[in-house]
Amino acid sequence: MMNTAALKQMLDRKVAEYDQASFIAKDPVSIPHRFSRQQDIEIAGFFAALFAWGNRTSIINSCNRLLRAMDDAPYDFVRNHTDTDLKPLLSFVHRTFNATDLFWLLHVLQQHFRSYDTLEIAFSQFINSFSPDITPALTGFHDYVFAEPQAPQRTRKHISTPAKQSACKRLNMYLRWMVRSESAVDFGIWKQISPAQLVCPLDVHVARVARRLNLLTRKQDDWKAAQELTAGLRALDAADPVRYDYALFGLGVIEKF
């Protein structure tokens, strides 16, 4: 068992190793990195994060199919698409995510971007500087997406929420991309949420490494576990705990720690 100083030194070294531009190409974050306009980054990143379960090559291929159908202009497509424009996407599927889910989220995004310039407000309106973490932002975003009575019930499983005790891995990863600025990988284009409020994306690999390092004791990989892990990481860096996601992910997925 390492003491806190030794653990921090080891994880800092791994962050420096994996938070590099070379990380981008084979990761779903490569999808939003194709764009320079903020709204394109937000929309491409949103779908890349939602598709981010399973094989990374499959995730990237699904994102590329979607973007091709959007003429590689996600913001213009979201703002201006008609029912006719959606027809080529009727057969779209990524694992259990299908056209019903896609069309609802495109509808929500279209309504949102016709009123706001950024997707950040869909999260940040539910949080303030006194919020200890992004729990209310994720809960509020889920309710925002499904506010209309005609929202399809089946799509709720694709927009996770702490209210259901989900670890919210994909949305936490998306927020990491959008919020963290001290990074070669993350974009840091959102300013209303602090990196200190982020919660670490928790998947089976990160959870396994965290338990081996005694950063996580909870047996279930749920929201409480994600918060417990993040609390342990805050002891190492209170201002930017989620930067250690790179270390845990690299140790788990690449090094098979």
Side-chain angles (χ1 to χ4, degrees):
M1 183 184 298
M2 286 184 280
N3 62 34
T4 300
L7 178 61
K8 177 174 170 56
Q9 183 179 46
M10 187 270 282
L11 292 180
D12 283 344
R13 187 172 66 250
K14 291 300 176 181
V15 171
E17 181 178 345
Y18 291 111
D19 187 357
Q20 297 287 341
S22 57
F23 179 90
I24 295 170
K26 294 182 179 180
D27 190 81
V29 77
S30 63
I31 298 299
H33 268 286
R34 290 167 46 179
F35 301 96
S36 57
R37 182 162 59 173
Q38 175 167 326
Q39 293 87 350
D40 286 328
I41 292 169
E42 291 175 347
I43 294 166
F46 178 66
F47 284 109
L50 286 192
F51 296 168
W53 84 100
N55 178 275
R56 288 201 287 174
T57 300
S58 172
I59 295 162
I60 291 170
N61 288 342
S62 292
C63 292
N64 286 332
R65 288 202 318 275
L66 178 59
L67 288 173
R68 282 195 298 271
M70 294 179 167
D71 295 323
D72 287 309
Y75 180 55
D76 287 342
F77 186 91
V78 161
R79 278 291 306 271
N80 303 309
H81 71 267
T82 65
D83 289 346
T84 300
D85 297 320
L86 295 177
K87 286 182 179 178
L89 289 164
L90 280 168
S91 61
F92 185 86
V93 62
H94 174 75
R95 297 178 70 103
T96 64
F97 185 98
N98 67 18
T100 297
D101 309 312
L102 176 60
F103 290 0
W104 180 252
L105 294 178
L106 288 173
H107 164 73
V108 171
L109 290 173
Q110 185 174 73
Q111 297 305 306
H112 178 85
F113 278 107
R114 286 179 173 178
S115 299
Y116 304 101
D117 290 332
T118 171
L119 192 55
E120 180 176 16
I121 188 65
F123 293 88
S124 65
Q125 64 181 307
F126 304 108
I127 195 172
N128 59 48
S129 59
F130 299 104
S131 303
D133 66 26
I134 46 83
T135 300
L138 293 180
T139 303
F141 178 71
H142 180 274
D143 295 343
Y144 182 75
V145 169
F146 299 105
E148 297 180 40
Q150 68 270 33
Q153 186 67 29
R154 60 155 286 121
T155 305
R156 290 177 179 269
K157 67 185 177 185
H158 296 294
I159 305 294
S160 52
T161 171
K164 299 285 190 181
Q165 285 304 311
S166 168
C168 301
K169 176 254 182 181
R170 289 172 286 165
L171 287 178
N172 280 331
M173 183 176 68
Y174 178 61
L175 290 176
R176 192 202 82 204
W177 292 349
M178 296 298 109
V179 171
R180 289 194 66 251
S181 57
E182 300 297 319
S183 174
V185 179
D186 301 323
F187 293 90
I189 55 177
W190 289 0
K191 304 302 180 184
Q192 302 305 310
I193 300 171
S194 166
Q197 294 173 305
L198 296 176
V199 171
C200 191
L202 183 70
D203 62 16
V204 293
H205 307 289
V206 168
R208 185 184 75 249
V209 174
R211 289 186 179 101
R212 288 199 63 185
L213 296 175
N214 294 305
L215 287 165
L216 179 60
T217 60
R218 186 171 175 81
K219 290 182 169 34
Q220 302 97 317
D221 291 348
D222 58 8
W223 185 247
K224 289 181 180 178
Q227 287 182 309
E228 181 192 341
L229 170 57
T230 305
L233 299 177
R234 283 199 187 97
L236 307 180
D237 187 339
D240 189 13
V242 173
R243 72 188 183 93
Y244 291 112
D245 184 31
Y246 288 98
L248 300 175
F249 177 85
L251 285 167
V253 174
I254 298 169
E255 300 185 32
K256 311 299 182 188
F257 178 80

